[in-house]
Amino acid sequence: CQNKSEGTSRELSNSIDNIMTIVRALLGVDSKFVVQSSFILLKRLSREMFLTFKELESQLEWLQGMICWNQKK
């Protein structure tokens, strides 16, 4: 059973604001990439998956792949 403080802590780290702070810190990203990423990261599951990658390079690669995948839809 999960206590309330654990859930709240996880939700805070998974907040859109916190996630977008990480995205803006990725090396070499421009404003277009940040906006495209924001559409992907609107979904909670996508934010959770993004956070499973601990290295910034892996997070960047995952976002690039998701942007490419969404453009093919």
Side-chain angles (χ1 to χ4, degrees):
C1 186
Q2 183 181 35
N3 71 33
K4 265 189 170 176
S5 65
E6 286 178 13
T8 303
S9 173
R10 191 164 139 211
E11 288 168 14
L12 288 176
S13 68
N14 193 5
S15 76
I16 291 173
D17 187 46
N18 288 339
I19 298 292
M20 292 311 296
T21 297
I22 296 169
V23 171
R24 288 187 294 273
L26 295 172
L27 189 61
V29 300
D30 59 12
S31 60
K32 181 179 178 182
F33 182 85
V34 172
V35 171
Q36 289 173 322
S37 296
S38 71
F39 291 118
I40 291 164
L41 296 167
L42 285 172
K43 295 181 181 178
R44 182 181 54 84
L45 289 175
S46 293
R47 293 192 303 273
E48 288 179 6
M49 179 58 85
F50 177 78
L51 289 176
T52 65
F53 299 100
K54 302 303 180 197
E55 295 154 0
L56 293 177
E57 185 176 315
S58 297
Q59 291 172 331
L60 178 61
E61 288 178 21
W62 183 80
L63 281 173
Q64 289 170 331
M66 290 300 293
I67 289 169
C68 184
W69 183 72
N70 278 334
Q71 290 173 343
K72 292 179 181 179
K73 283 181 163 184

